[in-house]
Amino acid sequence: MELNEFVANFANQFDDTDISEIKPETKYQELDEWSSLLSMSVIAFVKTEYGKTITGKEIRSCRTVKDLYDLVAAK
């Protein structure tokens, strides 16, 4: 798993946010489109794409996309 690939896959979960706005340092929970539904989508994409299980609590504990990547990579 590579950071740039993860960021691109993460960005694809968003419908209304321009992909160019999402970078490793993006504080994704501050994005207008971020919601609990999107959080569930991220949980599903991580399970499907990487075969790893993360929780909503773990997502909330991360501040940036890079933090989330580090969490998934450590699983």
Side-chain angles (χ1 to χ4, degrees):
M1 178 172 66
E2 180 189 294
L3 177 59
N4 291 333
E5 173 193 336
F6 182 85
V7 171
N9 287 335
F10 179 85
N12 284 333
Q13 304 310 303
F14 292 79
D15 292 326
D16 299 328
T17 304
D18 191 297
I19 290 175
S20 66
E21 288 184 47
I22 300 177
K23 299 178 170 95
E25 64 275 6
T26 299
K27 294 178 181 172
Y28 59 88
Q29 295 180 49
E30 295 177 4
L31 295 171
D32 289 340
E33 190 178 353
W34 184 255
S35 67
S36 58
L37 185 59
L38 201 49
S39 177
M40 296 297 288
S41 179
V42 169
I43 289 170
F45 119 75
V46 167
K47 180 69 172 174
T48 302
E49 193 71 29
Y50 303 108
K52 300 184 179 190
T53 302
I54 58 173
T55 66
K57 185 176 182 178
E58 289 174 319
I59 290 175
R60 286 188 301 276
S61 73
C62 297
R63 293 186 39 80
T64 66
V65 178
K66 172 75 165 63
D67 292 342
L68 187 59
Y69 167 82
D70 290 341
L71 171 72
V72 173
K75 289 267 182 183

